[in-house]
Amino acid sequence: MASSCFSMTTPIFKIRFFLFLCFIGISSSQLSSDFYSTTCPNALSTIKSAVDSAVSNEARMGASLLRLHFHDCFVQGCDASVLLNDTSSFTGEQTAAGNVNSIRGFGVIDNIKSQVESLCPGVVSCADILTVAARDSVVALGGPSWTVQLGRRDSTTASLSSANSDLPRFDLSLQQLSDNFQNKGLTTAEMVALSGGHTIGQAKCSTFRTRIYNETNIDSSFATSLQANCPSVGGDSNLAPLDSSQNTFDNAYFKDLQSQKGLLHTDQVLFNGGSTDSQVNGYASDPSSFNTDFANAMVKMGNISPLTGSSGEIRTNCWKTN
C-alpha cells in the first residue's frame, strides 16, 4: 500500500514520487504471461518441443516432470531449489523422504536449459522451465492447457529439512493432506483437483505396500493383482500405474477411486465417506470440470512464493548456483 512508502506529513510532490517508486516495486514482483516475449521469444516453443520429444520417447516422463514441479513448489516455493545438488554449505532436497530414488526428469530439464541458454543466455530461469514443462507434459498426454505465468527466479539454496517437513507423505489422513495443502495456500478443493495429476505415471511398491496388504477400503481383486508384483517383503522399486490409464491425462483416476481402486492411501482417502466424496463424483462424471479446476489449481500452485525482481538469480546450470 502507498502508506508504506510515505507518511501523512510528506509533501505532495514527494508523495507522487514515492507512489511511482511503490508502483515500480510492486509491478516488478509480479509474474506475467509475456515475460519472455521480447527477451527470449522462442523460449516457450523450445521448451514444448523438448518436452514433446521426451514424453514421446517415454510417456512416464510426462508424469515425472509434473511431479518435479509440484515437489519444487512445495519446498521454498517455485524456485527450482529441488534441482540443486548438495554442496559444502547445504544439503539439498533430492534425498528427502519424498524425493530419494523417486523424483526424476533432471536430464530433460538440463537439456531444455542448455537449449534456451544457447538462444538467450542468462534470461530464462530453471524455475520457469519447470513450470512450463509441467504444463506441456500434461498437454502432451492429452490433458488441458493453461496460461503459465512467468518471471520466477532461481534460489541460491535448498533445504533437506524443509523438503522432509513440507512434502506430503503417502500415509496421511484426509485432514492431514488438506492441512498440508492449506499450509501452501491451496484449498481442499484445489488439493483434490491437483491429486488428479495421479491420472498419469507410476508409483513404487514401497509407497503402496501397506495399503494393498492391510487396508480394507480396497477392491480385493485389485489388491491381489498388485500383490503379484509387490510382495510383502522386497521389491520396493517395482512399479504399478497410478490409475487405469497411466499414459493418458483423463478422469479415470476419479472413477478408480469410486471403485476403491486408488493405488496410494492418500488417493483413496479422497473417496472414503468423507467431505471430498462429492467432488470426486463430480470429476468422475464431468471430465471437463476436472480439467478446468486442475488447470486453475496448477496456475495457483505455480505462484507459491516465487522469487522475482532482484531476488535469487538466473542459474546458468540448473543443478548448481552461479
Side-chain angles (χ1 to χ4, degrees):
M1 294 178 63
S3 59
S4 64
C5 296
F6 57 84
S7 71
M8 294 304 294
T9 59
T10 307
I12 188 64
F13 72 92
K14 287 188 176 181
I15 291 178
R16 290 171 179 165
F17 179 69
F18 287 143
L19 281 172
F20 172 75
L21 291 181
C22 288
F23 173 77
I24 293 299
I26 292 170
S27 63
S28 66
S29 67
Q30 292 177 335
L31 304 179
S32 66
S33 60
D34 59 353
F35 189 82
Y36 298 114
S37 61
T38 58
T39 56
C40 197
N42 294 321
L44 296 189
S45 60
T46 300
I47 296 171
K48 177 175 171 52
S49 294
V51 169
D52 286 349
S53 177
V55 174
S56 176
N57 185 56
E58 181 197 8
R60 183 188 173 204
M61 185 54 69
S64 297
L65 293 173
L66 175 61
R67 185 167 182 256
L68 199 55
H69 173 51
F70 166 64
H71 280 223
D72 178 41
C73 290
F74 263 53
V75 184
Q76 297 187 175
C78 308
D79 60 359
S81 60
V82 70
L83 302 177
L84 287 173
N85 290 344
D86 297 349
T87 71
S88 59
S89 59
F90 66 80
T91 301
E93 301 164 18
Q94 295 172 25
T95 55
N99 288 333
V100 64
N101 299 320
S102 173
I103 52 171
R104 57 199 298 273
F106 298 102
V108 176
I109 299 300
D110 285 343
N111 174 52
I112 294 171
K113 179 61 173 174
S114 178
Q115 290 187 47
V116 296
E117 280 296 305
S118 296
L119 288 174
C120 326
V123 172
V124 181
S125 69
C126 301
D128 276 347
I129 290 173
L130 282 174
T131 310
V132 176
R135 188 270 310 271
D136 292 346
S137 293
V138 169
V139 173
L141 292 173
S145 185
W146 57 90
T147 301
V148 174
Q149 300 298 303
L150 302 164
R152 297 165 194 80
R153 290 167 64 84
D154 301 322
S155 67
T156 56
T157 188
S159 172
L160 175 64
S161 61
S162 293
N164 276 325
S165 64
D166 292 2
L167 292 174
R169 303 191 316 271
F170 51 80
D171 60 349
L172 299 181
S173 67
L174 178 61
Q175 186 60 57
Q176 290 171 325
L177 194 61
S178 179
D179 290 345
N180 181 273
F181 276 70
Q182 287 181 4
N183 287 338
K184 301 300 177 182
L186 297 164
T187 67
T188 298
E190 289 164 339
M191 178 270 289
V192 175
L194 289 170
S195 295
H198 282 181
T199 184
I200 53 176
Q202 299 174 313
K204 291 186 175 183
C205 166
S206 57
T207 65
F208 59 84
R209 177 184 285 116
T210 298
R211 170 159 167 71
I212 65 174
Y213 285 99
N214 299 329
E215 297 187 1
T216 57
N217 59 343
I218 186 169
D219 178 86
S220 58
S221 61
F222 177 65
T224 300
S225 67
L226 290 167
Q227 290 168 5
N229 193 44
C230 183
S232 57
V233 178
D236 284 3
S237 296
N238 293 350
L239 299 171
L242 280 162
D243 88 344
S244 54
S245 64
Q246 61 173 307
N247 294 330
T248 303
F249 196 98
D250 55 19
N251 68 334
Y253 170 82
F254 299 102
K255 294 179 179 179
D256 290 346
L257 297 185
Q258 290 177 317
S259 303
Q260 293 193 318
K261 294 180 180 179
L263 182 64
L264 304 179
H265 172 84
T266 44
D267 291 327
Q268 196 60 57
V269 295
L270 303 182
F271 191 82
N272 194 42
S275 61
T276 55
D277 283 16
S278 60
Q279 190 176 352
V280 170
N281 285 332
Y283 290 160
S285 63
D286 185 3
S288 64
S289 68
F290 163 54
N291 285 343
T292 297
D293 290 352
F294 180 83
N296 289 334
M298 283 295 293
V299 172
K300 186 172 177 181
M301 187 184 78
N303 291 342
I304 297 175
S305 304
L307 297 173
T308 58
S310 59
S311 300
E313 65 182 18
I314 305 297
R315 291 187 216 137
T316 301
N317 296 297
C318 288
W319 50 272
K320 67 176 183 178
T321 60
N322 294 340

